[in-house]
């Protein structure tokens, strides 16, 4: 780890399975890190990342930055509230409380691309006979809340899969805001669920939407964890990075064939059909390392992040590497070593034709090809 960076900043990368979240500001050279313990950090690049401010609250399940870059939205499951905080000083601007906000320390929270809606995974009727998980979306301006359980949305994991343990790891909205992708970890396996017209019920005036406006399908990955996923700008397909938990042994899948130094797979899935478009194993051919998930460890600095552009998709690889693939075909295009050992986050540059890469040394700007 770089001597310029405190241990706690790099530690989440070495053990990325932990629920620690790093967000790169859409315009400023700043990182916001939320820890499960409830600590929220603000780092500024000067030019290396320096801790400028931190606060402590009860607990943080997830945090997102508003599209205009002026506020942070986080979910506090202990106090059962959405907190909207200022990016400048992390001060509390307002809270949103409601009987439907009953998520736990794993509940993801996000903001629609137009900045109008907050969405969070939560429990409906907690402690009751019919306790179910579902989706809560909140109007940012009016704070009006709408809900639907995952079962009402057309998905019942208990009936379909027969397992009783699972949690929603990540939720991503398509660029056209017509589809919601839900990444679920269920009994050691990763599943992707796609819900179309997910905002259709948000115009209702009642607390709970009666109709079921969403269509859904599930897709299962070969590996047990999806570290990141993103939509193509066209919204026609998604690309995801699937791997194993750190230290997991292949006892559950003894027939799984892995190549030398395999750290996962990059997979493209159609957003309209039950169809896989392409799949690429990420192994020593690209990373130039023989150490992968089979050996039960990752190189320091491996975070499994991706960013999907118009013609390329870029993923993080061990030892501060970026791997670029053709987003339509999955063909390998190029590799780049960044300035630094850790890659904390990837983001769009304000010009739209470049990538911002947050490392332990600097914010590096790289052009798409």
């Amino acid at each position: 780890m770089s001597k310029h960076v405190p241990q706690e900043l790099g530690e989440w990368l070495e053990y990325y399975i932990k629920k620690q979240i790093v967000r790169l500001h859409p315009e400023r050279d700043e990182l916001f890190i939320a820890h499960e313990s409830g600590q929220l950090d603000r780092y500024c690049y000067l030019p290396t990342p320096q801790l400028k401010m931190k606060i402590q609250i009860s607990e943080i399940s997830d945090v997102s930055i508003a599209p205009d870059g002026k506020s942070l939205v986080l979910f506090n499951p202990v106090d059962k509230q959405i907190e909207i905080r200022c990016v400048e000083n992390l001060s509390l601007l307002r809270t949103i409380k409601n009987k439907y906000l009953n998520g736990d320390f794993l509940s993801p929270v996000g903001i629609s691309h137009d900045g109008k809606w907050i969405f969070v995974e939560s429990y409906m009727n907690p402690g009751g006979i019919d306790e179910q998980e579902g989706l809560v979306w909140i109007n940012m301006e009016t704070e009006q809340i709408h809900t639907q359980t995952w079962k009402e949305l057309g998905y019942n994991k208990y009936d379909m899969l027969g397992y009783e343990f699972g949690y929603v790891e990540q939720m991503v909205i398509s660029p056209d805001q017509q589809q919601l992708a839900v990444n679920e970890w269920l009994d050691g396996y990763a599943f992707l669920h796609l819900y179309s017209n997910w905002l259709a019920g948000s115009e209702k005036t009642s607390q709970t939407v009666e109709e079921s406006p969403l269509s859904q399908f599930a897709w299962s990955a070969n590996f047990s964890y999806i570290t990141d996923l993103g939509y193509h700008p066209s919204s026609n397909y998604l690309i995801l990075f699937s791997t194993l938990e750190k230290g997991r042994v292949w006892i559950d899948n003894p027939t799984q064939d892995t190549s030398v130094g395999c750290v996962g797979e990059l997979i493209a899935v159609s957003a309209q059909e039950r169809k896989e478009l392409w799949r690429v194993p990420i192994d020593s051919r690209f990373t130039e390392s023989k150490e992968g998930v089979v050996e039960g460890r990752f190189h320091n600095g491996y975070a499994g992040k991706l960013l999907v552009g118009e013609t390329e998709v870029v993923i993080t690889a061990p030892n501060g590497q970026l791997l670029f693939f053709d987003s339509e075909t999955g063909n390998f295009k190029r590799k780049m070593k960044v300035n630094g050992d850790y890659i904390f986050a990837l983001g769009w540059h304000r010009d739209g034709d470049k990538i911002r890469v947050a490392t332990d040394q600097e914010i590096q700007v790289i052009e798409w090809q």
Side-chain angles (χ1 to χ4, degrees):
M1 183 174 58
S2 168
K3 62 182 180 181
H4 299 288
V5 183
Q7 176 65 30
E8 58 266 21
L9 183 57
E11 187 177 2
W12 78 279
L13 285 168
E14 195 170 350
Y15 304 99
Y16 68 84
I17 190 67
K18 289 183 178 180
K19 190 66 176 182
Q20 293 176 319
I21 304 103
V22 175
R23 303 293 182 226
L24 176 62
H25 192 278
E27 294 185 357
R28 301 179 182 181
D29 292 343
E30 298 180 0
L31 288 177
F32 295 87
I33 301 180
H35 304 266
E36 183 184 316
S37 63
Q39 180 176 312
L40 179 62
D41 303 333
R42 177 189 173 214
Y43 281 83
C44 299
Y45 279 84
L46 302 167
T48 57
Q50 306 293 324
L51 178 62
K52 286 298 180 181
M53 188 173 299
K54 66 179 179 180
I55 61 170
Q56 182 70 44
I57 64 174
S58 303
E59 192 173 58
I60 301 173
S61 72
D62 198 6
V63 63
S64 291
I65 304 177
D68 62 8
K70 296 180 180 179
S71 60
L72 300 169
V73 175
L74 61 89
F75 181 56
N76 179 340
V78 172
D79 298 321
K80 299 182 179 180
Q81 63 188 22
I82 295 289
E83 298 186 8
I84 301 176
R85 292 184 172 271
C86 176
V87 297
E88 294 283 354
N89 54 23
L90 305 183
S91 62
L92 183 62
L93 300 176
R94 59 183 168 128
T95 60
I96 301 174
K97 296 178 73 75
N98 188 277
K99 65 179 181 179
Y100 294 107
L101 293 174
N102 296 289
D104 56 27
F105 71 97
L106 295 169
S107 297
V109 64
I111 309 172
S112 60
H113 300 305
D114 58 14
K116 294 180 179 180
W117 299 96
I118 301 171
F119 57 98
V120 62
E121 196 246 358
S122 185
Y123 288 94
M124 313 299 168
N125 190 28
I129 298 177
D130 191 29
E131 177 180 274
Q132 294 188 60
E133 295 175 74
L135 182 66
V136 175
W137 59 94
I138 306 162
N139 187 297
M140 281 278 281
E141 182 177 351
T142 66
E143 297 187 8
Q144 187 174 19
I145 290 183
H146 306 279
T147 69
Q148 277 199 303
T149 66
W150 295 124
K151 186 174 182 179
E152 289 173 331
L153 299 178
Y155 167 54
N156 188 328
K157 64 187 174 189
Y158 307 115
D159 292 342
M160 184 173 70
L161 299 170
Y163 296 112
E164 295 186 354
F165 178 75
Y167 63 84
V168 174
E169 178 67 27
Q170 186 181 10
M171 298 190 294
V172 177
I173 307 174
S174 61
D176 62 9
Q177 297 199 152
Q178 296 303 304
Q179 193 172 74
L180 178 71
V182 178
N183 164 19
E184 180 193 32
W185 188 92
L186 186 63
D187 199 38
Y189 294 89
F191 291 86
L192 177 68
H193 308 274
L194 302 182
Y195 297 92
S196 298
N197 303 317
W198 73 286
L199 273 174
S202 63
E203 301 301 324
K204 301 293 181 180
T205 57
S206 60
Q207 278 289 76
T208 304
V209 180
E210 299 298 333
E211 299 97 298
S212 177
L214 310 183
S215 60
Q216 168 267 352
F217 79 87
W219 174 89
S220 175
N222 279 349
F223 292 87
S224 70
Y225 195 69
I226 297 175
T227 61
D228 203 7
L229 67 141
Y231 278 88
H232 184 265
S234 68
S235 298
N236 292 330
Y237 60 94
L238 306 87
I239 300 178
L240 55 95
F241 195 95
S242 177
T243 186
L244 275 178
E245 297 177 19
K246 182 179 176 67
R248 188 180 179 94
V249 185
W250 289 97
I251 296 177
D252 294 345
N253 262 324
T255 60
Q256 177 71 48
D257 181 25
T258 60
S259 49
V260 175
C262 180
V263 294
E265 292 178 318
L266 193 62
I267 307 159
V269 182
S270 171
Q272 284 78 37
E273 308 172 63
R274 295 173 179 262
K275 183 179 180 182
E276 181 179 305
L277 303 177
W278 51 260
R279 179 185 297 241
V280 179
I282 307 302
D283 52 29
S284 60
R285 294 175 300 165
F286 308 115
T287 65
E288 298 182 357
S289 171
K290 295 183 179 180
E291 295 184 1
V293 292
V294 175
E295 292 77 20
R297 60 186 180 275
F298 295 98
H299 286 276
N300 291 344
Y302 174 68
K305 293 295 181 182
L306 64 76
L307 191 66
V308 185
E310 188 69 41
T311 60
E312 291 183 311
V313 53
V314 58
I315 64 171
T316 59
N319 299 321
Q321 297 181 90
L322 294 175
L323 304 178
F324 293 80
F325 297 83
D326 187 289
S327 58
E328 184 175 355
T329 65
N331 293 333
F332 179 68
K333 296 183 67 175
R334 57 189 171 122
K335 178 168 63 176
M336 180 178 296
K337 175 68 172 70
V338 299
N339 178 25
D341 297 323
Y342 290 95
I343 299 175
F344 298 135
L346 302 174
W348 289 93
H349 190 270
R350 60 182 63 88
D351 294 341
D353 59 349
K354 302 179 183 68
I355 310 162
R356 296 167 68 223
V357 184
T359 77
D360 60 347
Q361 296 296 318
E362 63 177 357
I363 294 284
Q364 193 167 339
V365 178
I366 300 171
E367 291 190 3
W368 292 105
Q369 288 186 3

